[in-house]
Amino acid sequence: MGFVNKLRSSLTKVRRSLAGAVENVVSGRREIDESLYEELEDALILADVGVAAAQEIMSRVRKRVKELRLKDPMQLKPLFKEEILRIIGVEAAPLFLPKEPPAVILMVGVNGTGKTTSIGKLACYFREQGKKVLLAAADTFRAAAIDQLEVWAKRAGVDVIKQREGSDPAAVVYDALQAAKARRVDVVLVDTAGRLHTKTNLMEELKKIRRVAEREVPGAPHEVLLVVDATTGQNAVNQAKLFSEAAGVTGIVLTKLDGTAKGGVVVAVKNAFEIPVKFVGIGEGVEDLIPFHPGEFAAAIFD
Amino acid sequence: MFSSLGEKLQETFKRLKGKGKLTEQDVDAALREVRVALLEADVNFKVVKDFVKRIRERAVGQEVLANLNPAHQVVKIVRDELTALMGGENARLNIAPKPPAVIMLVGLQGSGKTTTAAKLCVLLKKQGRRPLLVAADVYRPAAIRQLEVLGGQIQVPVYSSDKSPVGIATGAFEEAVRKGNDTVVIDTAGRLHINEELMKELDLIKKSVKPHEILLVADAMTGQDAVTVAETFHKRLELDGVVLTKLDGDTRGGAALSIREVTGCPIKFAGVGEKLDMLEPFHPDRMADRILGMGDVLTLIEKAQDTFDIQQASEMQKRIKSADFNLEDFLVQLRQFKKMGPLEQVLGMLPGFGNMKKVRDQFQLDERDLVLTEAIINSMTAEERRRPDVIDGSRRRRIAHGSGTTVQDVNRLLKQFGQTKKLIRQFTSMEKGVKKGVKMGRFPFM
């Protein structure tokens, strides 16, 4: 199965909700009128694109329709694809890996989005590329989070640096980075505890982790990936904002995209903050966390 | 991020002053704002549509009461309707007369089932019950271990075995009967509602242990998809209720409304913090305020009542007004205030403060001030606290050194304290003269 095909089959539901909705709305219509626009805007909101982004997309679509003097509602579909691509960008935003290893990647996010699982999958992804990977178990808060990471490490055949539950996460990161330098590791993946972005003290803890990484490895952290659950609604925008302020988010990992009909948060977040999606989770399998390519995403949905 | 619906409506109605009746246009303008507010709060779009229609019917032609402005009036209608929609009153757990009662938790991955299972047991224990936790999540790595750790923390036994989830559930039931546990709480694996195989497994567990309560654990941050998820689980299992988790963040939690509307199941509990005692009964009216960005005054009041010992408080009031109010009393007060929770959280419950970033940022600073102030007072001797006047230059240096602050910080605190005292003195002497417009003295930490 080709890559785009796989993406397409995993995103069936997203496709139905975005492209399908647009199609449903336009089919059978004779002309482009106000009620058609309103229904289209609703369709976007229903896909979790958010009110702001939906309104922006609609106002641009209206303008284009006037410019191009479109009359047939069927002609609207490509316009939507273009407008969504305009927001999420056409080019993929690959991970930045420094010439001089180790690359330090920090995984952050609210509780239950799939940070630990994503790290497990990323570890496999890098291993397949022949890279030497080390995991840092800096989620010292949640019960058994370290055990969970260790199971993943075994699956991926990589090492974990850990301390006891309840210890200082920044100290774990320090240990991991020392070990990474000594063992000539290519990529260090740091698992952090899930935290709600409104908890000031926990966000401070994240800043400290970041500072330790900055101090121990020049240029680190090279990537700070915010893990977002695709079923999340407009709160994702708040998450992106506050995590960026605390830890300098460089990209988003959008998980559980196979289960939701939505995923419009991709658009909402990119629209608000210019933070690109770098990986998407489209299944439970190890190989189901894949680099995100906006063009292919749009193609899988609209074509 | 979002400004409150109240504020937006005020804007919309500004030009309406002096009108006696709400016309259709006025109401439509207001309802556009209501619609956006609800959508921004992630209330499902179809639910919003029906809802707005109902509000419109109620609001058109309403007399604008003299003492209420139109904005308030519309907000009130919206709030009443929202509350009604979410079930009006708090709904309790159905617990079978004949033990053991079985409670089964289901939901998507990462919604918080395992943590909720433990929190639920804490609540049950408080009610004098003897719960048994059941680890039936055999898929996620270390999920069983997580439940075991949590069980250890709250001293509740955890049952598991290497059988299938159905085998574990039936085994647990027998174990409960044997050991005299009156409530069985089953933690199931997270699953996507579209995963047929795993949904079937839930069905089998249901058939084998016949739970009295099947609770859907749902993340309060869920977007438009909340409806589909709840609907699928409900069709398959006939849910008895919902637990809404992660409500301690800044989500508006519109998912609550969608889930309730679609399934008709009451939301029974809300998770409001990471600690294991932070599961609260769900209150629809408070949730309505939150969705509208109107703050949560009632919870705040309850919190204050919980933390403040009334007798202690009235004594303190006397002390404040007396001439020898000193830094020791002040410290007691400061600590009580802190006990109510993070300042930001407390302020978030006040109407208008909820999502105003600017105010938040300002109070963020003050949270640190609170800590500093406490540190400074802690570094004083008992004598110094009782009689701040004795604190001279060299004592100031010592206090600053001991509390990790600067002499300037110490000076500022002492100066503010002096001013506060003076104000209180003015206030109490004026109280007798019953003069209006006198502002209560601000404490240095406010």
Side-chain angles (χ1 to χ4, degrees), chain A residues 42 111 197 199 231 256, chain B residues 1 35 109 223 246 248 250:
Chain A
D42 288 345
N111 318 61
H197 45 293
K199 306 261 159 108
T231 49
K256 311 180 202 173
Chain B
M1 278 289 108
R35 178 176 167 272
Q109 291 100 330
K246 303 177 210 173
D248 45 335
D250 58 356

Side-chain angles (χ1 to χ4, degrees), chain A residues 63-133:
Chain A
K63 219 173 100 195
R64 297 283 308 277
V65 167
K66 245 186 225 159
E67 279 168 10
L68 301 168
R69 304 193 180 180
L70 300 182
K71 294 272 181 280
D72 181 6
M74 287 311 278
Q75 291 168 305
L76 286 176
K77 208 176 138 189
L79 280 189
F80 271 87
K81 183 181 169 188
E82 269 172 45
E83 285 308 318
I84 284 173
L85 270 176
R86 195 182 56 79
I87 292 177
I88 62 178
V90 183
E91 293 298 315
L95 285 182
F96 169 72
L97 299 180
K99 281 197 195 107
E100 192 79 10
V104 180
I105 301 179
L106 221 59
M107 303 289 272
V108 301
V110 303
N111 318 61
T113 54
K115 280 176 296 302
T116 309
T117 308
S118 295
I119 285 196
K121 291 179 181 176
L122 275 180
C124 297
Y125 170 83
F126 285 121
R127 280 277 296 166
E128 229 158 69
Q129 299 179 358
K131 296 210 157 62
K132 194 170 174 188
V133 181

Side-chain angles (χ1 to χ4, degrees), chain A residues 1-298:
Chain A
M1 194 160 59
F3 178 74
V4 174
N5 278 336
K6 177 167 188 197
L7 192 62
R8 191 170 291 160
S9 75
S10 305
L11 298 180
T12 317
K13 297 193 77 195
V14 180
R15 184 160 90 232
R16 236 180 270 148
S17 91
L18 257 176
V22 172
E23 227 157 73
N24 275 347
V25 173
V26 294
S27 73
R29 291 296 188 92
R30 290 271 166 78
E31 50 176 8
I32 300 174
D33 58 13
E34 199 48 36
S35 77
L36 182 68
Y37 283 134
E38 259 172 44
E39 279 180 47
L40 287 170
E41 187 180 317
D42 288 345
L44 288 174
I45 289 170
L46 193 58
D48 278 329
V49 166
V51 180
Q55 284 174 346
E56 196 187 314
I57 291 173
M58 286 316 299
S59 83
R60 287 187 58 102
V61 167
R62 281 170 207 248
K63 219 173 100 195
R64 297 283 308 277
V65 167
K66 245 186 225 159
E67 279 168 10
L68 301 168
R69 304 193 180 180
L70 300 182
K71 294 272 181 280
D72 181 6
M74 287 311 278
Q75 291 168 305
L76 286 176
K77 208 176 138 189
L79 280 189
F80 271 87
K81 183 181 169 188
E82 269 172 45
E83 285 308 318
I84 284 173
L85 270 176
R86 195 182 56 79
I87 292 177
I88 62 178
V90 183
E91 293 298 315
L95 285 182
F96 169 72
L97 299 180
K99 281 197 195 107
E100 192 79 10
V104 180
I105 301 179
L106 221 59
M107 303 289 272
V108 301
V110 303
N111 318 61
T113 54
K115 280 176 296 302
T116 309
T117 308
S118 295
I119 285 196
K121 291 179 181 176
L122 275 180
C124 297
Y125 170 83
F126 285 121
R127 280 277 296 166
E128 229 158 69
Q129 299 179 358
K131 296 210 157 62
K132 194 170 174 188
V133 181
L134 184 69
L135 308 184
D139 178 356
T140 57
F141 178 80
R142 179 166 61 91
I146 300 172
D147 305 58
Q148 190 184 347
L149 194 66
E150 279 185 310
V151 174
W152 272 109
K154 219 175 268 165
R155 274 185 204 168
V158 301
D159 290 340
V160 184
I161 298 294
K162 58 169 184 179
Q163 290 184 11
R164 262 184 310 164
E165 232 165 66
S167 55
D168 178 8
V172 178
V173 174
Y174 177 86
D175 283 357
L177 296 183
Q178 296 308 321
K181 284 188 272 186
R183 300 180 198 177
R184 301 186 182 283
V185 162
D186 297 309
V187 183
V188 184
L189 294 166
V190 181
D191 187 22
T192 63
R195 62 200 76 220
L196 287 176
H197 45 293
T198 49
K199 306 261 159 108
T200 317
N201 50 343
L202 293 179
M203 295 311 269
E204 287 297 323
E205 181 187 282
L206 212 53
K207 286 185 196 164
K208 185 176 168 194
I209 291 174
R210 196 193 153 93
R211 280 198 301 274
V212 168
E214 279 168 1
R215 204 177 56 213
E216 294 310 313
V217 176
H222 304 91
E223 289 279 354
V224 178
L225 299 180
L226 175 67
V227 183
V228 177
D229 184 330
T231 49
T232 310
Q234 296 313 301
N235 193 250
V237 178
N238 295 26
Q239 290 173 21
K241 180 170 168 37
L242 294 183
F243 272 104
S244 290
E245 281 169 14
V249 175
T250 57
I252 286 173
V253 177
L254 195 67
T255 58
K256 311 180 202 173
L257 198 58
D258 50 329
T260 177
K262 313 305 171 191
V265 283
V266 180
V267 182
V269 169
K270 186 79 195 322
N271 190 48
F273 301 113
E274 288 294 313
I275 299 173
V277 173
K278 296 203 169 174
F279 279 87
V280 287
I282 54 168
E284 304 229 3
V286 168
E287 69 293 341
D288 289 336
L289 188 72
I290 55 172
F292 178 72
H293 193 294
E296 284 167 4
F297 179 75

Side-chain angles (χ1 to χ4, degrees), chain B residues 347-364:
Chain B
L347 288 170
M349 290 179 212
L350 289 171
F353 278 102
N355 287 288
M356 289 167 64
K357 185 83 179 81
K358 236 198 278 172
V359 181
R360 271 195 178 184
D361 284 346
Q362 192 195 329
F363 279 100
Q364 209 97 87

Side-chain angles (χ1 to χ4, degrees), chain B residues 154-178:
Chain B
I154 58 177
Q155 290 165 333
V156 169
V158 177
Y159 177 88
S160 195
S161 70
D162 49 11
K163 293 212 179 88
S164 71
V166 179
I168 294 174
T170 45
F173 190 84
E174 284 155 19
E175 167 110 342
V177 173
R178 232 185 353 260

